[in-house]
Amino acid sequence: MSPDKWLEALRKGVAAVAATPPEYLDRDVPSCPGWAARDVAAHLGGVHRWAVGVLVGQKVPYADVDPEAPAGEQILGWYSERADKLVAALTSKDIDTPTKSLFGERQVRFWYRRQAQEVAVHRWDIEHAYRGWDADPIDAALAADGIAEWSELFTPRLLGRGGGTPHDLQGVRILLQANDGGGSWLLRAGADSIGIVDDDAAPDATITASTSDLLLALWHRVPLSRLTVDGDATRVERVLDLVRI
């Protein structure tokens, strides 16, 4: 995806979060245990503020749920203001400008992608709180990009923190097969990452679902029991459990 597409996706996701019906803000979010929909919005607003700080070179404290978030439906306007400041900070800089990140030095374009993906998953979290499994899926192109981001950025970071992949899981291959035309991805569990590989080796298991549900399964939002898994489901669970936030 291009920065323009990420920015478009970010704006759409932000608008959807801001349009959350106020009467559902107190609904528990099953995919974020311990949080209500209001807390997810407060989290997103805090993440946006923190990202703006990085982009403009100011140190901003990070909190899982921003303590400055107001109560009640006022949080929706507060969130929109935080998101507007993020978009302004992103679009005020050249996309190739070097900047900091949790993954080392990156270009500003990194933040377009990361914030679009952050909002995409948490927008789904909020909708899932009051629409259940009828929550709108993540756009297939954005979800496909999210699968790549998950593999490229998060698996090496989290496996590095957790001591790496257990020896008996190294080499396990999982084929993600989108049934909506989104594509397919062959994941291979290495010692320190779960990479997308291009080879002819037979997978240990194949997961078939929409592109959105494949991404949400990687982020432990959609259980494998709701998807079609052919092969060694137990090993699939163990591999995916290596990467949790």
Side-chain angles (χ1 to χ4, degrees):
M1 291 183 71
S2 66
D4 284 347
K5 292 296 185 182
W6 285 320
L7 184 60
E8 179 184 358
L10 173 61
R11 283 174 163 152
K12 286 182 178 179
V14 163
V17 172
T20 301
E23 63 267 28
Y24 295 128
L25 287 170
D26 290 333
R27 285 285 183 94
D28 290 337
V29 179
S31 48
C32 299
W35 283 3
R38 178 261 176 204
D39 300 314
V40 179
H43 167 74
L44 274 177
V47 169
H48 295 338
R49 176 171 175 260
W50 172 72
V52 170
V54 174
L55 288 164
V56 303
Q58 296 178 354
K59 190 170 183 178
V60 174
Y62 177 84
D64 280 341
V65 176
D66 194 312
E68 295 183 8
E73 65 183 88
Q74 289 183 332
I75 194 171
L76 299 176
W78 172 90
Y79 171 70
S80 292
E81 291 176 4
R82 289 286 178 94
D84 287 346
K85 290 178 180 178
L86 170 66
V87 170
L90 288 170
T91 55
S92 69
K93 292 184 174 291
D94 186 284
I95 60 173
D96 295 322
T97 302
T99 186
K100 294 180 179 180
S101 84
L102 292 174
F103 306 91
E105 185 176 283
R106 301 277 171 167
Q107 296 174 323
V108 167
R109 68 177 66 236
F110 161 89
W111 287 103
Y112 278 71
R113 182 194 208 187
R114 178 81 291 277
Q115 293 297 286
Q117 293 293 343
E118 182 83 3
V119 172
V121 172
H122 284 315
R123 185 278 305 164
W124 185 90
D125 287 330
I126 291 172
E127 286 191 16
H128 181 53
Y130 63 92
R131 295 183 61 190
W133 298 113
D134 291 327
D136 286 338
I138 297 171
D139 172 79
L142 185 62
D145 180 69
I147 290 170
E149 187 202 41
W150 176 88
S151 172
E152 295 163 8
L153 295 182
F154 287 96
T155 73
R157 178 175 176 82
L158 296 177
L159 285 174
R161 284 178 170 181
T165 304
H167 184 74
D168 68 313
L169 294 181
Q170 293 180 25
V172 170
R173 284 172 165 79
I174 302 168
L175 178 63
L176 306 181
Q177 182 68 58
N179 59 14
D180 56 1
S184 62
W185 302 262
L186 181 61
L187 304 177
R188 181 186 182 278
D192 52 12
S193 68
I194 302 173
I196 297 174
V197 297
D198 182 13
D199 61 35
D200 296 326
D204 296 273
T206 298
I207 305 175
T208 304
S210 68
T211 316
S212 176
D213 279 353
L214 291 173
L215 174 64
L216 291 168
L218 296 180
W219 284 114
H220 302 283
R221 265 55 183 185
V222 176
L224 292 181
S225 60
R226 290 190 61 85
L227 312 181
T228 300
V229 181
D230 296 315
D232 193 339
T234 299
R235 298 190 90 192
V236 170
E237 290 272 16
R238 290 184 62 206
V239 169
L240 298 189
D241 279 344
L242 296 173
V243 183
R244 284 185 176 272
I245 294 180

